[in-house]
Amino acid sequence: MVAPSQQAAGTSAEAPTSWATEFRATFALAWPLVIAQVAQNAINTTDVIMTGWLGPEYLAASTLASTFIMPFLVGGIGLVGAVAPLTAQARGARDIKAVRRIVRQGFWVALLTALVLVPIILQIRTILGWLGQDPVLAMRAEEYTQIAAWLLFPGLGIIVLRSLLSTFDAARVVLLVTLGGVVVNFIGNYALMFGNFGMPRLELRGAAISTVITNIAMFLALLTYVLRHRRFKRFHLLIRFWKPDWPRFRQIFRLGLPIGLTVLAEVSLFTAAAMLMGRLGTDEVAAHAVALQCASLAFMVPMGIGMATTVRVGIAYGRRDRVGISHAGWTGLALGTAFMTLSCFAFLSFGPSIVSVFLDPTKPENLNALTLAATFLVIAGIFQLVDGVQVVAAHALRGLSDAKIPMIVAIVGYWLVGLPIAYLLGLVVGWRGIGIWIGLAAGLAFVAVVLLARFALRERIGLLRQIS
């Protein structure tokens, strides 16, 4: 018999009766997550645009710093991101006690991850030197990273809270807080980067301080909401916070570690691409930054859809609903592919106009970087479709707690397919930046095909055997 509080929490998670019902449920959960993801990326886009106002050298340095930090950050995000499918499955099974324990241990994992990664990130200048990067750019990148590294503590905590809120259909709160973060970050950049409002002109260090402050503000806003709102107060998340729950702790690591390595494999491919670009010159790095920012902004939409798909698939999996799993997964894939078709058209049709937002086309020193960025954006437009498929398919599989094989697929696809092609075409054949971007596209295409096939064959390969 289900306790009243458990029953109330699970009523909105009943099995969909049709494709139309699932579409409405997925869309209702996805759209605030999508806009929140776009807003989150807008914070990074704001940094890129405003750093570009300082000049190509500053933009190149901040790009090296950001791409260096990013694998550590997204690896940690993937690790604590296991909270989302686990809480969704617990909600589907109407096990509210498990939800509370999973979230608490999610905070433990977030704290431990940040404590391990921050000291490594702080060694950026030494590591960039080993990688043959320009010493001047490495020095400027260190200025940014010495401050920005500390965003991991609030940043990973945000992911834990976002997972809880999304599981219980409160994604609009995540959206509102993220939109507030965009405003805070813009004001902070304007004041600290350029010395406005009576503040000192700190340039890259100002951008880093603004980023850390923004993440702290967002974390505190979400934490305040879940501690004070009547729907979430009953979880008592911070009471006996230091009491361990080792089975849940290990469960998060078992699922989160391969998820984190999967995400890390993809992002580190783009980091490696930035390092390869760094061997070609400042204009190539700046152009790569602009094109990558555009592609990343478009990617936020299927990413948000993927998050919703994880929750919907996880809830169906928790209640042992095979039809619901099918509806949730394929609905998410259809929504993601539809949007990426539109972004593909936009990149192919309006590339030069888009990149001119980031670098002033009236300045002669920017013309080469702008031309390169527009060319890279054409290739980015072509791989939009496979990029959308791979991220939604990966999230659908996570809803089934399937992460180990997708991790292997990602490592093979990105590091044994994508990176070698990027290096060969870019530096050996001599296609330079174009060759590097073709390698990125090849890696994404490989992973998309394999993960899509895995979800389609989920019953045949035994992914649903636990709900038989």
Side-chain angles (χ1 to χ4, degrees):
M1 183 174 180
V2 180
S5 61
Q6 294 174 313
Q7 179 69 44
T11 53
S12 62
E14 292 303 318
T17 57
S18 67
W19 285 100
T21 303
E22 180 58 42
F23 177 86
R24 288 191 295 269
T26 300
F27 186 80
L29 177 58
W31 77 259
L33 290 174
V34 166
I35 300 177
Q37 283 299 114
V38 173
Q40 180 65 50
N41 192 260
I43 295 175
N44 300 328
T45 303
T46 300
D47 288 343
V48 171
I49 292 175
M50 299 180 80
T51 305
W53 295 348
L54 295 173
E57 182 179 325
Y58 289 91
L59 180 58
S62 68
T63 299
L64 285 179
S66 298
T67 52
F68 179 83
I69 294 173
M70 193 58 64
F72 298 100
L73 177 60
V74 300
I77 288 173
L79 179 58
V80 300
V83 172
L86 292 175
T87 53
Q89 292 168 14
R91 182 189 175 186
R94 300 183 179 181
D95 188 352
I96 301 306
K97 186 177 182 180
V99 173
R100 177 171 61 249
R101 292 180 173 179
I102 291 166
V103 173
R104 282 179 179 170
Q105 295 308 299
F107 282 127
W108 277 43
V109 172
L111 182 61
L112 176 62
T113 301
L115 287 172
V116 171
L117 295 182
V118 167
I120 300 174
I121 295 172
L122 294 178
Q123 305 305 312
I124 179 173
R125 189 174 180 181
T126 301
I127 296 173
L128 289 180
W130 292 342
L131 296 174
Q133 299 301 302
D134 182 276
V136 175
L137 292 181
M139 181 181 66
R140 290 195 180 278
E142 184 183 40
E143 292 179 6
Y144 179 89
T145 306
Q146 291 291 325
I147 299 169
W150 301 99
L151 69 85
L152 261 72
F153 287 96
L156 297 182
I158 289 170
I159 302 304
V160 175
L161 294 171
R162 185 187 69 188
S163 299
L164 172 65
L165 292 165
S166 300
T167 295
F168 288 90
D169 305 318
R172 295 186 185 185
V173 178
V174 179
L175 168 58
L176 293 175
V177 169
T178 308
L179 290 174
V182 175
V183 176
V184 171
N185 188 66
F186 176 81
I187 294 173
N189 280 352
Y190 186 72
L192 296 172
M193 290 178 67
F194 303 101
N196 294 303
F197 305 132
M199 303 299 291
R201 181 183 174 94
L202 300 177
E203 298 179 339
L204 289 181
R205 286 177 295 172
I209 294 171
S210 178
T211 298
V212 173
I213 290 174
T214 299
N215 278 272
I216 292 174
M218 291 169 60
F219 171 74
L220 292 177
L222 291 176
L223 182 62
T224 299
Y225 181 85
V226 300
L227 292 180
R228 295 180 63 87
H229 193 277
R230 59 182 180 83
R231 191 179 184 194
F232 296 97
K233 283 175 65 175
R234 59 197 171 92
F235 288 117
H236 304 295
L237 295 180
L238 299 185
I239 295 178
R240 295 193 302 274
F241 180 81
W242 298 110
K243 181 180 179 181
D245 186 343
W246 298 119
R248 301 294 181 188
F249 186 82
R250 290 190 293 268
Q251 184 183 27
I252 293 173
F253 263 101
R254 280 197 303 270
L255 179 58
L257 188 58
I259 292 176
L261 291 175
T262 298
V263 180
L264 180 61
E266 178 181 1
V267 175
S268 61
L269 170 65
F270 286 88
T271 299
M275 298 303 166
L276 293 178
M277 289 288 185
R279 299 174 64 175
L280 299 177
T282 298
D283 283 344
E284 280 81 358
V285 175
H288 177 74
V290 171
L292 184 59
Q293 193 61 43
C294 295
S296 298
L297 184 61
F299 179 75
M300 292 301 102
V301 177
M303 172 68 83
I305 293 171
M307 293 175 182
T309 302
T310 293
V311 171
R312 296 298 303 168
V313 170
I315 290 172
Y317 185 73
R319 65 173 179 250
R320 301 174 178 271
D321 179 6
R322 293 173 181 268
V323 174
I325 291 170
S326 177
H327 285 183
W330 290 115
T331 297
L333 284 162
L335 287 171
T337 302
F339 174 81
M340 292 305 257
T341 301
L342 296 177
S343 65
C344 173
F345 174 79
F347 285 179
L348 295 179
S349 302
F350 308 108
S353 298
I354 294 172
V355 299
S356 64
V357 174
F358 295 85
L359 292 170
D360 188 351
T362 64
K363 294 183 177 181
E365 64 268 26
N366 292 341
L367 293 181
N368 186 42
L370 281 167
T371 301
L372 290 169
T375 303
F376 297 162
L377 204 59
V378 170
I379 304 172
I382 295 172
F383 74 52
Q384 288 294 287
L385 295 177
V386 293
D387 204 10
V389 169
Q390 66 86 17
V391 68
V392 179
H395 278 80
L397 292 169
R398 288 170 199 170
L400 303 176
S401 292
D402 179 38
K404 293 182 180 179
I405 297 301
M407 174 192 69
I408 296 172
V409 172
I411 292 173
V412 171
Y414 299 134
W415 283 90
L416 299 184
V417 177
L419 185 59
I421 292 176
Y423 179 83
L424 179 65
L425 295 182
L427 275 64
V428 178
V429 176
W431 290 6
R432 297 177 69 83
I434 293 175
I436 293 172
W437 273 76
I438 290 175
L440 298 177
L444 290 168
F446 176 90
V447 175
V449 170
V450 177
L451 294 186
L452 181 64
R454 186 166 178 81
F455 181 76
L457 299 174
R458 60 193 177 279
E459 295 204 49
R460 294 185 184 181
I461 60 180
L463 296 182
L464 305 186
R465 60 182 176 274
Q466 294 187 9
I467 65 174
S468 299

